[in-house]
Amino acid sequence: MRRVGYPAEIVDLISHLKRLPGIGPKSAERIAIWLLRAKGEFAFEFSGAIRSAKEQVAFCRFCGFFASGQDGCDFCNDPDRNTECICVVEQPTDMLPIERTGAFRGHYHSLGGKISPLDNIGPDELRIDSLVQRIKNGEVNEIILAVGSDVEGEATASFLADHLKRIDLGRPLAITRIAQGMPAGGGLESADELTLFRALDGRRSL
Amino acid sequence: MRVSALRLHQFRCFGSLSCELGEGVNLFTGDNAQGKTSLVESICVLLRLQSPRTSSSSDLAQFGADAFGIRAILDGERELSHSWQAGKRRLALDGSPCRKSGDYLEASGLVVWMGNEDIQLVRGAGDSRRRYLDFAASQLYPDYRPALLAYEKALRSRNFLLKRDASPNWRQIDAYSGVLIRHGEIVIRRRSELVSQLQPWAAEAHTHVGGSRETLAISYVSGSGSSFTQSLAESQPEELRRRVTVVGPHRDDLQLLIDGRSAGQYASEGQQRTVALSLKLAQARLLQERRQTMPIILVDDIFGELDPGRRNALLSYLPAAAQKMITTTHLNWLDSNGGALSSAARFHVHAGEVVRIS
């Protein structure tokens, strides 16, 4: 006797869901069945949303953020932003946390990753040339490097700082790195020693 | 510090084990290949997340199993749990998952491991001495382990870049040089500090255990000259030739001299054993002094190798209040040391079973 399983369409749906991040075989099965049973047009709306996001959204050719259509993203199209300062991040998703702070009103630039020779990612795989073009074409006078503080992030920051210093601009270009250290609002007693160590290292005069 | 209520699951030869450990000396006896060393090793793996016998977690799982678990109570109040399954490590403190190994190690206990392979500290290549320094420094300085891990990663990337291209891309390599120097300098500073603090303890332990007038002197030998930045810059021609980073803490060493002569080259087997013991004893004393808490001392099978004089000297020099786990195959030496060990909890280890005998 043949063992009966789900029809091929459901098996196919489950196998697609399983490939999503954080979804295991059990969850994939549950979601697939839930989608089939969902009331009204939900499943069609859902698949439509995926399709239109995939078709319409591209990366902004200036800063690398998500943009719909060909006209650049909401950052680059915002006339109120400070065009003299660019904040460089690893991934487009890193822009939003900085944006939410409200402390930064300049432009962003996503590298699309970080230098990691062991993973075969070198400077040529990153959006460094387009950053240099933006600096040359615009009125930029400060670059903030907001890449991670792991080994690859540090190496990327160090490579970029060196690379950008070599551009012949004819005007000064300040290159800064975001600080590391104490979490805001925390007392000294709650910080671990490594964080304190870094905070002491990066202290500033008052 | 004390560990109690040790539980093992599929660890080495133990399918499932529950062992109530005594507060002071715990003696594990039994024939070879019954699990004595694995039992003591499990405590080291639980507390420090590394084994003195292997660097691969899969070796620790019982043969044929793809998972293991170790848990115990530290100081009667905190439950530590270290489990591993299909390549993933899970740590928990008091039942709640602990994502960062640094936080776990901070909350965990201090350990000194003494085993037969310690002789490699004297006889072996520099990497055994660097491992000794790393094990001690990670327990003393909170910034050490993160710096060492970052240094090793930067070194791997830098060496990869040096090898990759027919003509090395120095701008990319230099991006890693800065990272290498930043973390390397922390490692260098801490190792050098550690060795100068170990020195008086090592000399004292050596006199005590060796019972002779010879003096042991240990000193830090930097693998990066007096300035890492400068040495790295100057080593470029050699890097170009050999396609590898030739200076840095990965080339550090620990010099061991008995009366001014190299212990590795000139000392007898017995003298070398004494030097190795002295280094471990110095580590115990330094941990105790600096962290204001007693390390847990794991002694694997070394008592049988020592003559009665040194055995007594060693026993009397180990911090009296520290919890100790000692393994041994033969018992005949035990009774001659009855004094120091009369109150020990004794266990018999046989075929992966542990039975308390007194």
Side-chain angles (χ1 to χ4, degrees), chain A residues 92-109:
Chain A
T93 44
D94 296 337
M95 298 177 189
L96 295 176
I98 299 177
E99 189 62 12
R100 281 186 213 113
T101 65
F104 180 74
R105 292 295 297 160
H107 283 270
Y108 294 92
H109 191 91

Side-chain angles (χ1 to χ4, degrees), chain A residues 115-118 120-124 149-152 154-156 158-159 162-163 166 192-194 197-198 201, chain B residues 100 103 106 142-143 146 150-151 153-154 156-157 160-161 164 171-172 174-176 178-179 182-183 186 189-190:
Chain A
I115 297 177
S116 176
L118 298 173
N120 261 321
I121 302 172
D124 295 344
S149 61
D150 54 347
V151 169
E152 288 83 13
E154 285 184 59
T156 307
S158 157
F159 179 86
D162 177 62
H163 191 74
R166 291 165 189 255
D192 66 89
E193 289 176 59
L194 180 65
F197 179 84
R198 287 194 171 156
D201 226 29
Chain B
K100 287 162 84 180
D103 295 344
E106 188 81 3
D143 57 347
Y151 176 83
K153 189 158 196 201
R156 274 199 303 279
S157 295
F160 180 82
L161 287 170
R164 190 185 62 184
R171 283 172 64 184
Q172 280 191 54
D174 282 342
Y176 275 95
V179 185
R182 199 152 51 248
H183 295 288
I186 298 175
R189 192 170 63 236
R190 292 309 199 182

